[in-house]
Amino acid sequence: MNESRAFCPRCGDPVPDRRGEGGANDPLRPGAEVDICDSCYFDDFEFIDAPDRIDVRVCAQCGAVHRGRRWVDVGAQDYTDVAIEEVSEALAVHVDVDDVAWQVEPEEVGPNTVRMHCYFTGTVRDTPVEEQVMIPVKIARQTCTRCGRIAGDYYASIVQIRAEGRTPTTEELERAKVIAEEIVADMEATGDRNAFITKTTETDDGLNMRVSTNKIGKKISNKMVEEFGGTVNDAETLVTEDEDGNGVYRVTFAVRLPPYIPGDVIDLTDDDEGPVLVSSAHGNLKGIRLRTGERYEASYEEGNAPDARKLGERGDAVETTVVTVEDERSIQVLDPETYQAKTISRPDYVDDDPDTVPVLKSRAGLHVLPDDV
Ligand SMILES: [Zn+2]
Ligand SMILES: [Zn+2]
């Protein structure tokens, strides 16, 4: 047994010898081999390191707090919440202390000042420690970059929703607005403070949306084309130069939705096989022949815009009485306008013995539509 004795390297009092156990913790002499005694330790011990006061800039519009060089959303309900948040950010607790607990009592002493009375407890060297500090928090109400931009109608990108040879439907326009809101919400959720919609305007031929970044404009237009088909073109306009002399561009994304949408009934110009009920406008137009029930797909060159005229829509169809199914290729129904029996083509989606069928009367005559679209 090695009977060794150790002494406090500062005052010379005997201390328990913990050499070799990694016990030395003189804050003034890191790496010292022997612990200083409790008395010397507590002479220098500082439980809490707190600033004399805290100045915090809060956006009066959205409650964001300025930290470092940027504005941060802290989700605070009121200025007291902000003060608590900032105090806990600014405090440092001595690393040796275990079981740290703290309470804080805010005291509002004016419209812009909150006194934070903080009470701390903990344990160090088997000794309970406590400390009270009062930190005044001064709040400066300002306007953050984002709220300033929103107030100034700032935008970096325009999304135009248009359609080829027609006006976009209400459904398409409403969907565009929802898509834009969802994209902005998703970006906000990841902490992006620069995502917002500046302005949405319905025009005679569609919808214009001014948005805060090019990225948002691009996402909205791509998503529209993904859902509805069509194309998007972007064009840059130089609006200004930044501090480094680099061009700052505003990008316009022009979405052109396809001329025909699912549910449209169209008559192809160079073709005498009868009307087509459109089922998809993604890529090449696809649909069903109303005379036969056969599938139709436009060629690559025609894409989503084959030469055609629109006869009507699925929604224009009316239910009419079947007089008789004559054979595989023909069916006799009542004309919904004249109530005269008429023999028309029987497409293969018509059952053997239906009582009624949905029909569309158009410039191209009377046609049976499929039941489910
Ligand atoms: Zn000592
Ligand atoms: Zn703000």
Side-chain angles (χ1 to χ4, degrees), residues 59-64 71 73 142-148 193:
C59 175
Q61 263 75 43
C62 71
W71 290 91
D73 290 309
Q142 300 190 335
T143 301
C144 75
T145 322
R146 175 180 61 185
C147 290
R193 299 203 82 246

Side-chain angles (χ1 to χ4, degrees), residues 272-335:
D272 52 7
E273 290 174 60
V276 168
L277 172 66
V278 176
S279 60
S280 164
H282 278 92
N284 302 339
L285 189 86
K286 295 168 196 69
I288 299 166
R289 294 281 188 184
L290 294 186
R291 269 189 209 158
T292 58
E294 282 169 10
R295 305 211 147 273
Y296 162 80
E297 181 170 347
S299 68
Y300 176 78
E301 289 73 28
E302 292 167 320
N304 62 27
D307 244 353
R309 58 176 185 159
K310 184 169 161 178
L311 297 173
E313 293 167 14
R314 179 69 183 77
D316 301 332
V318 289
E319 208 62 34
T320 196
T321 304
V322 174
V323 179
T324 175
V325 173
E326 292 181 349
D327 58 37
E328 247 177 57
R329 290 272 146 248
S330 47
I331 184 169
Q332 201 177 81
V333 298
L334 289 188
D335 182 309

Side-chain angles (χ1 to χ4, degrees), residues 65-90:
V65 169
H66 196 265
R67 273 191 201 146
R69 294 187 56 195
R70 46 192 214 100
W71 290 91
V72 189
D73 290 309
V74 291
Q77 297 296 316
D78 53 32
Y79 290 141
T80 303
D81 257 15
V82 171
I84 293 173
E85 178 84 25
E86 292 308 290
V87 165
S88 53
E89 285 282 316

